[in-house]
Amino acid sequence: MIHLEKLTYENFYDVFDLEVTEEQDDFVASNCFSVAEAYVTLINGGQVFPFAIYNDDTPVGFIQIGYGENADQDGVSVEKDNYEIWRFMIDKQYQGNGYGRAAMKCALDFIRTWPCGKAELCWISYEPENVVAKKLYASFGFEETGEMCDDEIVAVLKL
């Protein structure tokens, strides 16, 4: 069963070993870089939640959820006082098994516990070429806003 676990000393090396396919490398930052961003965000007073995605006892992916304006300073209009799916990946050997869909549901369930307070929206950004991600996010109700975050499309979900 797919579930999220906080990043810990016991699992962070496993998360660092997870990779996407070579064709997907340009779509997502490495998990090591993402965890470094989370650390910088936390020590500067930001709100971020890095999670390992597990299928039973096996780590299969990584997701990082942020809240509000964080260390990366995206400048996205909906950033303030809203949640963000900051990073999301499923390891190449586990793709195509429905784990991404199940993990997104877990992430949205977590967000709806309001760990940083109630919010109106959750946002995500993705490369225009990443049609698989676009389709997955749209299936949850994320709608493109027309805004860009660097070279990525911004989509929002009303919580």
Side-chain angles (χ1 to χ4, degrees):
M1 171 182 258
I2 294 294
H3 63 281
L4 306 182
E5 291 189 18
K6 266 196 307 189
L7 208 57
T8 65
Y9 284 110
E10 290 77 29
N11 66 14
F12 81 96
Y13 282 114
D14 291 334
V15 167
F16 289 173
D17 289 340
L18 300 173
E19 297 178 330
V20 294
T21 65
E22 190 174 320
E23 297 80 29
Q24 297 167 325
D25 273 341
D26 291 337
F27 295 159
V28 66
S30 74
N31 294 341
C32 188
F33 181 82
S34 297
V35 171
E37 272 189 321
Y39 173 77
V40 171
T41 296
L42 288 171
I43 65 169
N44 285 283
Q47 302 287 329
V48 63
F49 304 90
F51 291 105
I53 301 167
Y54 277 81
N55 180 37
D56 297 325
D57 295 328
T58 304
V60 299
F62 175 74
I63 193 162
Q64 187 158 286
I65 299 165
Y67 177 80
E69 297 170 308
N70 280 310
D72 62 339
Q73 298 294 310
D74 292 313
V76 173
S77 65
V78 297
E79 189 173 23
K80 187 173 175 19
D81 299 325
N82 285 305
Y83 291 90
E84 171 190 8
I85 306 291
W86 193 349
R87 292 290 192 283
F88 183 42
M89 64 82 70
I90 300 295
D91 185 85
K92 59 188 173 190
Q93 67 179 328
Y94 301 109
Q95 292 179 12
N97 295 306
Y99 297 162
R101 173 167 298 286
M104 181 60 73
K105 181 185 180 320
C106 290
L108 293 172
D109 288 347
F110 170 77
I111 288 168
R112 289 183 175 117
T113 68
W114 315 119
C116 299
K118 197 122 167 114
E120 181 182 347
L121 302 171
C122 177
W123 69 280
I124 196 164
S125 64
Y126 50 90
E127 298 285 341
E129 301 82 20
N130 194 346
V131 294
V132 172
K134 176 181 178 169
K135 183 178 175 182
L136 174 67
Y137 305 147
S139 75
F140 279 92
F142 282 89
E143 296 179 1
E144 294 179 2
T145 65
E147 187 173 3
M148 298 293 282
C149 179
D150 295 323
D151 60 347
E152 295 184 348
I153 296 168
V154 173
V156 298
L157 173 69
K158 188 163 179 63
L159 296 169

PDB file of all heavy atoms in Angstrom, residues 88-108:
ATOM      1  N   PHE A  88       8.093  16.071  -6.972  1.00  0.00           N
ATOM      2  CA  PHE A  88       7.331  14.831  -7.033  1.00  0.00           C
ATOM      3  C   PHE A  88       7.983  13.923  -8.047  1.00  0.00           C
ATOM      4  O   PHE A  88       8.165  14.307  -9.209  1.00  0.00           O
ATOM      5  CB  PHE A  88       5.879  15.139  -7.427  1.00  0.00           C
ATOM      6  CG  PHE A  88       4.964  13.953  -7.465  1.00  0.00           C
ATOM      7  CD1 PHE A  88       5.000  12.983  -6.485  1.00  0.00           C
ATOM      8  CD2 PHE A  88       4.045  13.827  -8.481  1.00  0.00           C
ATOM      9  CE1 PHE A  88       4.135  11.897  -6.511  1.00  0.00           C
ATOM     10  CE2 PHE A  88       3.170  12.752  -8.522  1.00  0.00           C
ATOM     11  CZ  PHE A  88       3.216  11.791  -7.535  1.00  0.00           C
ATOM     12  N   MET A  89       8.340  12.728  -7.621  1.00  0.00           N
ATOM     13  CA  MET A  89       8.927  11.760  -8.545  1.00  0.00           C
ATOM     14  C   MET A  89       8.654  10.342  -8.068  1.00  0.00           C
ATOM     15  O   MET A  89       8.536  10.081  -6.885  1.00  0.00           O
ATOM     16  CB  MET A  89      10.426  11.994  -8.710  1.00  0.00           C
ATOM     17  CG  MET A  89      11.285  11.802  -7.465  1.00  0.00           C
ATOM     18  SD  MET A  89      11.743  10.079  -7.091  1.00  0.00           S
ATOM     19  CE  MET A  89      12.893   9.708  -8.392  1.00  0.00           C
ATOM     20  N   ILE A  90       8.556   9.458  -9.048  1.00  0.00           N
ATOM     21  CA  ILE A  90       8.495   8.016  -8.802  1.00  0.00           C
ATOM     22  C   ILE A  90       9.704   7.416  -9.512  1.00  0.00           C
ATOM     23  O   ILE A  90       9.997   7.745 -10.668  1.00  0.00           O
ATOM     24  CB  ILE A  90       7.185   7.390  -9.351  1.00  0.00           C
ATOM     25  CG1 ILE A  90       5.952   8.017  -8.687  1.00  0.00           C
ATOM     26  CG2 ILE A  90       7.203   5.859  -9.167  1.00  0.00           C
ATOM     27  CD1 ILE A  90       5.804   7.764  -7.198  1.00  0.00           C
ATOM     28  N   ASP A  91      10.422   6.545  -8.816  1.00  0.00           N
ATOM     29  CA  ASP A  91      11.611   5.908  -9.380  1.00  0.00           C
ATOM     30  C   ASP A  91      11.278   5.176 -10.682  1.00  0.00           C
ATOM     31  O   ASP A  91      10.186   4.602 -10.823  1.00  0.00           O
ATOM     32  CB  ASP A  91      12.192   4.919  -8.366  1.00  0.00           C
ATOM     33  CG  ASP A  91      13.491   4.306  -8.850  1.00  0.00           C
ATOM     34  OD1 ASP A  91      14.543   4.929  -8.657  1.00  0.00           O
ATOM     35  OD2 ASP A  91      13.437   3.204  -9.459  1.00  0.00           O
ATOM     36  N   LYS A  92      12.233   5.208 -11.601  1.00  0.00           N
ATOM     37  CA  LYS A  92      12.019   4.645 -12.937  1.00  0.00           C
ATOM     38  C   LYS A  92      11.559   3.187 -12.911  1.00  0.00           C
ATOM     39  O   LYS A  92      10.758   2.773 -13.742  1.00  0.00           O
ATOM     40  CB  LYS A  92      13.274   4.801 -13.789  1.00  0.00           C
ATOM     41  CG  LYS A  92      14.502   4.139 -13.226  1.00  0.00           C
ATOM     42  CD  LYS A  92      15.747   4.498 -14.027  1.00  0.00           C
ATOM     43  CE  LYS A  92      16.998   3.969 -13.375  1.00  0.00           C
ATOM     44  NZ  LYS A  92      18.195   4.510 -14.025  1.00  0.00           N
ATOM     45  N   GLN A  93      12.043   2.399 -11.959  1.00  0.00           N
ATOM     46  CA  GLN A  93      11.653   0.981 -11.950  1.00  0.00           C
ATOM     47  C   GLN A  93      10.253   0.740 -11.392  1.00  0.00           C
ATOM     48  O   GLN A  93       9.724  -0.364 -11.514  1.00  0.00           O
ATOM     49  CB  GLN A  93      12.682   0.137 -11.217  1.00  0.00           C
ATOM     50  CG  GLN A  93      12.791   0.386  -9.738  1.00  0.00           C
ATOM     51  CD  GLN A  93      13.825  -0.526  -9.089  1.00  0.00           C
ATOM     52  OE1 GLN A  93      14.017  -1.666  -9.525  1.00  0.00           O
ATOM     53  NE2 GLN A  93      14.475  -0.038  -8.062  1.00  0.00           N
ATOM     54  N   TYR A  94       9.636   1.781 -10.819  1.00  0.00           N
ATOM     55  CA  TYR A  94       8.295   1.622 -10.237  1.00  0.00           C
ATOM     56  C   TYR A  94       7.220   2.401 -10.985  1.00  0.00           C
ATOM     57  O   TYR A  94       6.054   2.384 -10.586  1.00  0.00           O
ATOM     58  CB  TYR A  94       8.310   2.036  -8.765  1.00  0.00           C
ATOM     59  CG  TYR A  94       9.276   1.216  -7.947  1.00  0.00           C
ATOM     60  CD1 TYR A  94      10.450   1.772  -7.472  1.00  0.00           C
ATOM     61  CD2 TYR A  94       9.024  -0.128  -7.680  1.00  0.00           C
ATOM     62  CE1 TYR A  94      11.350   1.020  -6.738  1.00  0.00           C
ATOM     63  CE2 TYR A  94       9.924  -0.890  -6.954  1.00  0.00           C
ATOM     64  CZ  TYR A  94      11.083  -0.313  -6.480  1.00  0.00           C
ATOM     65  OH  TYR A  94      11.968  -1.068  -5.765  1.00  0.00           O
ATOM     66  N   GLN A  95       7.595   3.063 -12.062  1.00  0.00           N
ATOM     67  CA  GLN A  95       6.616   3.834 -12.827  1.00  0.00           C
ATOM     68  C   GLN A  95       5.657   2.910 -13.558  1.00  0.00           C
ATOM     69  O   GLN A  95       5.995   1.791 -13.908  1.00  0.00           O
ATOM     70  CB  GLN A  95       7.333   4.765 -13.809  1.00  0.00           C
ATOM     71  CG  GLN A  95       8.099   5.861 -13.106  1.00  0.00           C
ATOM     72  CD  GLN A  95       8.836   6.788 -14.061  1.00  0.00           C
ATOM     73  OE1 GLN A  95       8.623   6.777 -15.266  1.00  0.00           O
ATOM     74  NE2 GLN A  95       9.705   7.624 -13.512  1.00  0.00           N
ATOM     75  N   GLY A  96       4.454   3.412 -13.792  1.00  0.00           N
ATOM     76  CA  GLY A  96       3.461   2.658 -14.544  1.00  0.00           C
ATOM     77  C   GLY A  96       2.642   1.692 -13.703  1.00  0.00           C
ATOM     78  O   GLY A  96       1.910   0.862 -14.241  1.00  0.00           O
ATOM     79  N   ASN A  97       2.770   1.785 -12.378  1.00  0.00           N
ATOM     80  CA  ASN A  97       2.040   0.882 -11.488  1.00  0.00           C
ATOM     81  C   ASN A  97       0.947   1.583 -10.683  1.00  0.00           C
ATOM     82  O   ASN A  97       0.386   0.988  -9.762  1.00  0.00           O
ATOM     83  CB  ASN A  97       3.021   0.219 -10.510  1.00  0.00           C
ATOM     84  CG  ASN A  97       4.003  -0.687 -11.204  1.00  0.00           C
ATOM     85  OD1 ASN A  97       3.616  -1.580 -11.943  1.00  0.00           O
ATOM     86  ND2 ASN A  97       5.280  -0.443 -10.984  1.00  0.00           N
ATOM     87  N   GLY A  98       0.678   2.845 -10.990  1.00  0.00           N
ATOM     88  CA  GLY A  98      -0.338   3.586 -10.246  1.00  0.00           C
ATOM     89  C   GLY A  98       0.178   4.222  -8.966  1.00  0.00           C
ATOM     90  O   GLY A  98      -0.591   4.812  -8.217  1.00  0.00           O
ATOM     91  N   TYR A  99       1.480   4.122  -8.717  1.00  0.00           N
ATOM     92  CA  TYR A  99       2.042   4.676  -7.488  1.00  0.00           C
ATOM     93  C   TYR A  99       1.985   6.201  -7.471  1.00  0.00           C
ATOM     94  O   TYR A  99       1.784   6.802  -6.416  1.00  0.00           O
ATOM     95  CB  TYR A  99       3.487   4.217  -7.288  1.00  0.00           C
ATOM     96  CG  TYR A  99       3.668   2.730  -7.117  1.00  0.00           C
ATOM     97  CD1 TYR A  99       4.913   2.148  -7.304  1.00  0.00           C
ATOM     98  CD2 TYR A  99       2.605   1.890  -6.761  1.00  0.00           C
ATOM     99  CE1 TYR A  99       5.107   0.780  -7.129  1.00  0.00           C
ATOM    100  CE2 TYR A  99       2.790   0.522  -6.594  1.00  0.00           C
ATOM    101  CZ  TYR A  99       4.051  -0.018  -6.783  1.00  0.00           C
ATOM    102  OH  TYR A  99       4.241  -1.370  -6.615  1.00  0.00           O
ATOM    103  N   GLY A 100       2.178   6.824  -8.625  1.00  0.00           N
ATOM    104  CA  GLY A 100       2.116   8.284  -8.693  1.00  0.00           C
ATOM    105  C   GLY A 100       0.743   8.803  -8.319  1.00  0.00           C
ATOM    106  O   GLY A 100       0.612   9.750  -7.539  1.00  0.00           O
ATOM    107  N   ARG A 101      -0.283   8.197  -8.849  1.00  0.00           N
ATOM    108  CA  ARG A 101      -1.663   8.586  -8.541  1.00  0.00           C
ATOM    109  C   ARG A 101      -1.946   8.392  -7.044  1.00  0.00           C
ATOM    110  O   ARG A 101      -2.492   9.255  -6.376  1.00  0.00           O
ATOM    111  CB  ARG A 101      -2.649   7.768  -9.379  1.00  0.00           C
ATOM    112  CG  ARG A 101      -4.114   7.996  -9.005  1.00  0.00           C
ATOM    113  CD  ARG A 101      -5.058   7.424 -10.028  1.00  0.00           C
ATOM    114  NE  ARG A 101      -4.887   8.047 -11.322  1.00  0.00           N
ATOM    115  CZ  ARG A 101      -5.283   9.272 -11.641  1.00  0.00           C
ATOM    116  NH1 ARG A 101      -5.894  10.008 -10.744  1.00  0.00           N
ATOM    117  NH2 ARG A 101      -5.076   9.777 -12.828  1.00  0.00           N
ATOM    118  N   ALA A 102      -1.566   7.245  -6.509  1.00  0.00           N
ATOM    119  CA  ALA A 102      -1.805   6.965  -5.092  1.00  0.00           C
ATOM    120  C   ALA A 102      -1.019   7.925  -4.203  1.00  0.00           C
ATOM    121  O   ALA A 102      -1.534   8.401  -3.181  1.00  0.00           O
ATOM    122  CB  ALA A 102      -1.446   5.512  -4.776  1.00  0.00           C
ATOM    123  N   ALA A 103       0.211   8.229  -4.590  1.00  0.00           N
ATOM    124  CA  ALA A 103       1.035   9.149  -3.802  1.00  0.00           C
ATOM    125  C   ALA A 103       0.475  10.564  -3.839  1.00  0.00           C
ATOM    126  O   ALA A 103       0.486  11.266  -2.820  1.00  0.00           O
ATOM    127  CB  ALA A 103       2.473   9.133  -4.305  1.00  0.00           C
ATOM    128  N   MET A 104      -0.026  10.994  -4.989  1.00  0.00           N
ATOM    129  CA  MET A 104      -0.634  12.330  -5.077  1.00  0.00           C
ATOM    130  C   MET A 104      -1.856  12.412  -4.176  1.00  0.00           C
ATOM    131  O   MET A 104      -2.062  13.420  -3.498  1.00  0.00           O
ATOM    132  CB  MET A 104      -0.989  12.668  -6.525  1.00  0.00           C
ATOM    133  CG  MET A 104      -1.610  14.041  -6.691  1.00  0.00           C
ATOM    134  SD  MET A 104      -0.564  15.425  -6.156  1.00  0.00           S
ATOM    135  CE  MET A 104       0.641  15.458  -7.471  1.00  0.00           C
ATOM    136  N   LYS A 105      -2.645  11.357  -4.140  1.00  0.00           N
ATOM    137  CA  LYS A 105      -3.802  11.345  -3.247  1.00  0.00           C
ATOM    138  C   LYS A 105      -3.347  11.471  -1.794  1.00  0.00           C
ATOM    139  O   LYS A 105      -3.924  12.244  -1.014  1.00  0.00           O
ATOM    140  CB  LYS A 105      -4.633  10.081  -3.447  1.00  0.00           C
ATOM    141  CG  LYS A 105      -5.870  10.060  -2.550  1.00  0.00           C
ATOM    142  CD  LYS A 105      -6.644   8.773  -2.647  1.00  0.00           C
ATOM    143  CE  LYS A 105      -7.859   8.743  -1.755  1.00  0.00           C
ATOM    144  NZ  LYS A 105      -7.715   9.325  -0.435  1.00  0.00           N
ATOM    145  N   CYS A 106      -2.309  10.728  -1.424  1.00  0.00           N
ATOM    146  CA  CYS A 106      -1.768  10.818  -0.053  1.00  0.00           C
ATOM    147  C   CYS A 106      -1.285  12.239   0.244  1.00  0.00           C
ATOM    148  O   CYS A 106      -1.514  12.762   1.342  1.00  0.00           O
ATOM    149  CB  CYS A 106      -0.606   9.842   0.133  1.00  0.00           C
ATOM    150  SG  CYS A 106      -1.062   8.098   0.171  1.00  0.00           S
ATOM    151  N   ALA A 107      -0.608  12.850  -0.709  1.00  0.00           N
ATOM    152  CA  ALA A 107      -0.089  14.212  -0.508  1.00  0.00           C
ATOM    153  C   ALA A 107      -1.230  15.201  -0.314  1.00  0.00           C
ATOM    154  O   ALA A 107      -1.181  16.053   0.587  1.00  0.00           O
ATOM    155  CB  ALA A 107       0.783  14.620  -1.692  1.00  0.00           C
ATOM    156  N   LEU A 108      -2.255  15.097  -1.129  1.00  0.00           N
ATOM    157  CA  LEU A 108      -3.395  16.011  -0.997  1.00  0.00           C
ATOM    158  C   LEU A 108      -4.154  15.757   0.301  1.00  0.00           C
ATOM    159  O   LEU A 108      -4.621  16.711   0.944  1.00  0.00           O
ATOM    160  CB  LEU A 108      -4.305  15.905  -2.217  1.00  0.00           C
ATOM    161  CG  LEU A 108      -3.680  16.406  -3.521  1.00  0.00           C
ATOM    162  CD1 LEU A 108      -4.570  16.080  -4.711  1.00  0.00           C
ATOM    163  CD2 LEU A 108      -3.366  17.897  -3.449  1.00  0.00           C
TER     164      LEU A 108
END
